[in-house]
Amino acid sequence: MPPIIDPNKCNGCAGRNETFCEEICPGDLMALDATTGKAFLRSARDCWDCMSCVKACPRNALETRIPYQLGYYKASLRPIVGRNTITWKCKDIYGKETTFKFANRIA
Amino acid sequence: MARMNTAHAVDFAPAGLESVETVEVTADLLIIGGGNAGCFVAVEAAKLQPGITTVILEKADIRRSGACSAGMDAINTYIPKGKTPEDLVRWSRAQVGGGPLREDLALSNAYELNECVDDLERWGLPILRDEEGNASYRGKWDISIHGEQLKPIMAEKALESGADVYNRVVATGLLMHDGHCAGAMGFGVRDGKFYVFRAKATVISTGGAGTLYKSYTADSTDSGAQIWMCPYCVGSGYAMGFRQGAELTSLEQRWVATRSKDFCGPIDTISVGYKSAIINAKGEHVMDRYKHLGGDAAPRYIRANAPMEEWLAGRGPCYCDTTRLSPEKAHDLLVDYLNERPSFVLFLASRGQDVTKEPIEIYGSDPYIVGGHTGSGFWVTMERMTTIPGLFAAGETAGGNPNKFVGGCAAEGKLAARGALAWMKTRSLAPLDAAQIAAEKARVYAPILRRGQDGIQPVAMKERLQRLMDEYAGGTSQYYRTNEERLDYALRHIKMLQSQFAYLTADSLHMLMEAHETMDRVDVAEAVVHHLKARKETRWAGWQTRMDYPERDDVHFDCFIESRRDPETGTITTFTRPYEQLISGDRQKA
């Protein structure tokens, strides 16, 4: 089911020709639902979990979930994209939190 | 810089072909596929010939397209001080069991390699270095990077080079003139338009082919794309060239790698780089059984096959023993994963797994056709021209030259750009062939013109093919083994699938893309099966295992297997080309 979309946070990137997630997904899997004005995932089975959409979303409305067939409920991994760094906050199924931060560009 | 605007997909319901707009674009140089290799083609072409008009045709968005879209944690080949390009070719040769491989191609790549990696660093890619400023080596040849932004960095340079980038345009076929390539055709997956790209030279850099085989995690549910290779690289480049008669080499040398089980994360460089041994269910060091072949440093296909042999012998599951890692090293390991395959860290969290307490379970991946890793791809000249004049290949599409990885695909992008520029000096745009364009346009839109009718969903045909390949052409469920009868069975059914292309239906532009991807997969799979049939020996167990010919047969098969499809009849013929050793030394050793 990756990624899931928080309808309270997603605003469909109002005013843009395409949503950020739709623009970046390498599988052309994200699109805008014209009736709800929110992004949606066309086909969960085709998602690679590359997290490009999650990194691109300016409103943190997307969250990658591991399909339950593969991993248990519920863990989370959230990227916080900085200028030349990225910070990842990970929480495992027992609630243990870990933070990783590293440079992803030479400043 | 010119990134062509993209937008939401239009509601696309053409009444007939005549209502589909055709857009004609002309350029000096056409690059099909703006991945790692394609971006380097664009940058090199602009550097050597300022003012050149270049078009990149990309079915996704070049900032996150292809095999590098999720990021990268290492450059697997960077020649260290004291080693030579010849040494790298010796290593590459030993990694594929002594070959055959194209040592001429491999050496020319090796000479370009370090400069390409240095380019990436100048462009902003963090390469980890020690206190003296030397690149930090994980193994003999691979260096650690923080490559989360690797693909956006390459894409920015391709855009800065002045290339016109057509994102979300799906290439479907080559434009031909008098037996040479004169460009390509395709359709916009957002705007629905039919595109005709005319160019003096064309480089095909569409990546390899994942998704020909069923992944063992495909439960018909939410995990159909949990594979290691980017699942959106489906072999379209191979298919487009092959349909026009371009010769393919070494497709039977499939890439299978040891990966984390249930979620295809990288393992083999981790096991070597972090000195985390491969162990079986009994805690025994698996690679000790292969000491005579190099043990932990044995060729990749042996390391890929070893855990599967343990399973077969009743000694599975197998693990990469991370329990000896210090907390700091384990943290570095997870940072590597976050750079290349971030969702694997999420997977571990979803298993509640601390890798210092519980080892990472491993298994063999599904097989891939990836010429940046093994030798599969187009037979090319030193200029990287395929057997179709005017059509060049770089990266995963160019064959005979394994172990290229990120740096080598970049190097090959430069070499292909130089080859293409030399070729186009004497060429002008070929005249348009209206009949050829009309035929391709009809083929492209046929599934969407059948929308709403009874027929075949593209995903159904894809999954039929994947199961066929898995069970009959040596997939994971069969521990990569096959025989003549299974391959004949696969070919019979591939012919049936091809005869049913006419029933594919698509309700949207996205589904139309899926329909073409599926047809491309089927055509590439047919070539793969012919190659597996032709190599009547077992040279790279795991990558290529023939149960009916279990031994290596140097007398007959120390050579390349080639295939060619007759563009008129579709008939495939296989033949051989000789291997030539150019670099001295024991072929099995590095």
Side-chain angles (χ1 to χ4, degrees):
Chain A
M1 58 190 189
I4 52 174
I5 296 131
D6 183 341
N8 297 317
K9 290 183 180 170
C10 177
N11 68 349
C13 297
R16 294 193 92 236
N17 285 334
E18 55 190 331
T19 67
F20 282 105
C21 53
E22 176 180 38
E23 186 175 87
I24 207 68
C25 173
D28 189 41
L29 298 174
M30 302 303 294
L32 185 78
D33 183 327
T35 52
T36 64
K38 314 284 182 189
F40 74 99
L41 172 65
R42 291 180 204 276
S43 168
R45 79 205 300 171
D46 292 328
C47 176
W48 193 33
D49 296 314
C50 73
M51 301 187 71
S52 296
C53 58
V54 180
K55 292 173 189 170
C57 178
R59 296 175 67 86
N60 296 319
L62 303 180
E63 181 184 346
T64 295
R65 280 282 175 85
I66 298 297
Y68 191 79
Q69 294 85 345
L70 305 179
Y72 302 110
Y73 186 81
K74 85 173 183 185
S76 67
L77 177 68
R78 290 184 172 277
I80 301 158
V81 180
R83 188 172 167 76
N84 292 308
T85 60
I86 187 164
T87 303
W88 297 88
K89 290 191 177 293
C90 183
K91 191 192 273 191
D92 77 6
I93 53 172
Y94 305 120
K96 185 186 167 195
E97 290 190 68
T98 318
T99 301
F100 304 85
K101 183 179 181 182
F102 51 86
N104 56 1
R105 296 236 186 189
I106 298 172
Chain B
M1 113 169 41
R3 177 182 179 276
M4 300 299 149
N5 287 332
T6 47
H8 300 308
V10 297
D11 285 328
F12 190 68
L17 279 178
E18 56 290 343
S19 60
V20 178
E21 184 185 342
T22 296
V23 179
E24 189 189 317
V25 179
T26 59
D28 295 322
L29 175 63
L30 173 66
I31 300 165
I32 310 176
N36 179 353
C39 287
F40 271 83
V41 174
V43 172
E44 182 72 359
K47 182 179 151 193
L48 295 179
Q49 193 175 314
I52 189 174
T53 55
T54 300
V55 162
I56 299 178
L57 169 51
E58 165 62 55
K59 82 173 171 181
D61 181 301
I62 66 165
R63 288 170 300 163
R64 289 284 182 190
S65 63
C68 299
S69 51
M72 200 54 64
D73 68 332
I75 299 283
N76 281 354
T77 52
Y78 185 69
I79 301 169
K81 285 176 187 164
K83 297 272 188 189
T84 65
E86 287 76 8
D87 292 332
L88 180 63
V89 177
R90 286 189 184 96
W91 170 81
S92 179
R93 183 171 65 194
Q95 286 293 305
V96 291
L101 79 166
R102 289 279 302 278
E103 297 185 12
D104 52 349
L105 298 177
L107 190 60
S108 64
N109 257 49
Y111 271 102
E112 298 289 331
L113 174 65
N114 280 23
E115 182 65 19
C116 296
V117 178
D118 296 343
D119 283 340
L120 287 169
E121 190 173 32
R122 284 189 285 270
W123 298 348
L125 175 73
I127 292 179
L128 304 195
R129 294 187 177 277
D130 64 18
E131 282 142 16
E132 281 93 52
N134 296 314
S136 169
Y137 277 86
R138 289 204 313 206
K140 276 187 185 167
W141 300 95
D142 56 321
I143 58 173
S144 293
I145 62 171
H146 280 173
E148 188 275 321
Q149 288 282 308
L150 175 67
K151 190 69 226 299
I153 286 170
M154 291 176 180
E156 284 165 16
K157 293 299 163 185
L159 282 161
E160 284 173 20
S161 78
D164 285 341
V165 179
Y166 286 78
N167 288 316
R168 305 293 173 190
V169 177
V170 180
T172 57
L174 299 177
L175 195 59
M176 301 294 290
H177 176 71
D178 274 350
H180 75 255
C181 180
M185 295 169 281
F187 70 97
V189 74
R190 294 285 169 78
D191 63 17
K193 293 173 185 171
F194 186 64
Y195 284 86
V196 178
F197 294 93
R198 302 168 66 194
K200 295 174 191 167
T202 301
V203 181
I204 203 155
S205 46
T206 44
T211 68
L212 300 183
Y213 285 81
K214 186 168 94 64
S215 158
Y216 64 87
T217 52
D219 302 304
S220 312
T221 51
D222 281 351
S223 40
Q226 274 319 321
I227 65 174
W228 163 77
M229 183 60 191
C230 174
Y232 316 119
C233 294
V234 304
S236 295
Y238 302 134
M240 283 186 276
F242 197 53
R243 285 196 288 258
Q244 294 296 343
E247 179 181 330
L248 288 166
T249 186
S250 308
L251 259 61
E252 76 284 6
Q253 196 188 66
R254 306 169 307 163
W255 174 255
V256 168
T258 296
R259 292 292 173 248
S260 55
K261 180 137 190 306
D262 294 346
F263 198 92
C264 228
I267 281 293
D268 45 7
T269 51
I270 299 291
S271 66
V272 174
Y274 286 85
K275 299 188 173 44
S276 299
I278 302 300
I279 55 171
N280 65 18
K282 315 286 181 197
E284 298 163 337
H285 282 218
V286 171
M287 295 316 293
D288 285 354
R289 284 184 222 290
Y290 301 86
K291 266 195 176 137
H292 59 294
L293 298 168
D296 285 332
R300 278 262 167 83
Y301 63 94
I302 293 167
R303 283 187 276 147
N305 202 37
M308 303 302 266
E309 292 292 322
E310 295 298 299
W311 270 85
L312 271 171
R315 295 188 295 263
C318 294
Y319 302 91
C320 179
D321 186 8
T322 48
T323 61
R324 292 161 204 274
L325 291 177
S326 66
E328 294 75 26
K329 276 282 174 198
H331 185 273
D332 290 348
L333 173 72
L334 295 175
V335 166
D336 276 355
Y337 280 130
L338 287 168
N339 273 295
E340 176 168 351
R341 190 90 172 93
S343 43
F344 182 67
V345 175
L346 178 60
F347 169 77
L348 290 172
S350 78
R351 293 288 180 93
Q353 186 172 347
D354 175 346
V355 298
T356 64
K357 296 193 172 71
E358 193 184 338
I360 297 175
E361 191 186 350
I362 58 174
Y363 205 65
S365 72
D366 41 318
Y368 310 105
I369 305 302
V370 279
H373 296 72
T374 54
S376 306
F378 290 115
W379 184 264
V380 292
T381 64
M382 288 298 283
E383 291 72 37
R384 273 51 179 184
M385 190 156 80
T386 68
T387 58
I388 295 179
L391 180 68
F392 296 77
E396 305 267 33
T397 56
N401 180 7
N403 300 305
K404 282 183 273 200
F405 309 116
V406 170
C409 289
E412 197 155 51
K414 288 190 181 185
L415 291 164
R418 291 173 209 164
L421 292 189
W423 163 264
M424 72 173 65
K425 278 195 181 121
T426 59
R427 314 298 301 189
S428 51
L429 284 182
L432 275 182
D433 173 355
Q436 185 186 163
I437 291 168
E440 180 66 358
K441 190 173 181 180
R443 189 185 80 88
V444 164
Y445 291 97
I448 205 155
L449 293 176
R450 276 194 300 274
R451 67 189 179 279
Q453 296 177 28
D454 192 24
I456 306 161
Q457 300 261 315
V459 65
M461 186 180 281
K462 173 179 86 170
E463 292 183 352
R464 170 72 192 123
L465 174 75
Q466 289 176 333
R467 196 159 69 78
L468 180 70
M469 292 297 284
D470 179 52
E471 293 169 4
Y472 297 88
T476 317
S477 76
Q478 303 303 312
Y479 295 87
Y480 311 120
R481 298 163 178 206
T482 186
N483 63 19
E484 193 76 7
E485 293 75 20
R486 289 194 200 182
L487 293 169
D488 286 334
Y489 180 106
L491 280 183
R492 278 200 305 281
H493 286 266
I494 284 170
K495 282 287 174 214
M496 291 173 78
L497 291 175
Q498 287 170 331
S499 76
Q500 301 208 323
F501 286 172
Y503 305 114
L504 282 165
T505 64
D507 296 338
S508 67
L509 287 165
H510 181 78
M511 273 181 81
L512 185 61
M513 178 174 78
E514 291 182 324
H516 285 281
E517 287 176 338
T518 287
M519 289 188 272
D520 291 345
R521 285 186 187 98
V522 172
D523 286 348
V524 176
E526 186 182 25
V528 171
V529 175
H530 275 282
H531 276 256
L532 288 166
K533 261 177 71 76
R535 190 170 283 286
K536 295 188 189 333
E537 62 156 0
T538 296
R539 182 159 293 259
W540 309 285
W543 288 357
Q544 179 265 336
T545 308
R546 287 288 303 251
M547 297 150 86
D548 42 359
Y549 299 98
E551 302 298 326
R552 190 164 124 167
D553 177 0
D554 279 339
V555 174
H556 298 100
F557 290 106
D558 189 10
C559 57
F560 297 98
I561 302 289
E562 308 289 303
S563 66
R564 186 177 175 276
R565 175 172 145 147
D566 186 316
E568 305 302 324
T569 64
T571 305
I572 293 174
T573 48
T574 53
F575 51 101
T576 64
R577 283 188 185 258
Y579 161 73
E580 195 178 345
Q581 181 170 359
L582 301 175
I583 311 286
S584 62
D586 182 341
R587 288 168 54 189
Q588 312 284 333
K589 291 189 177 138

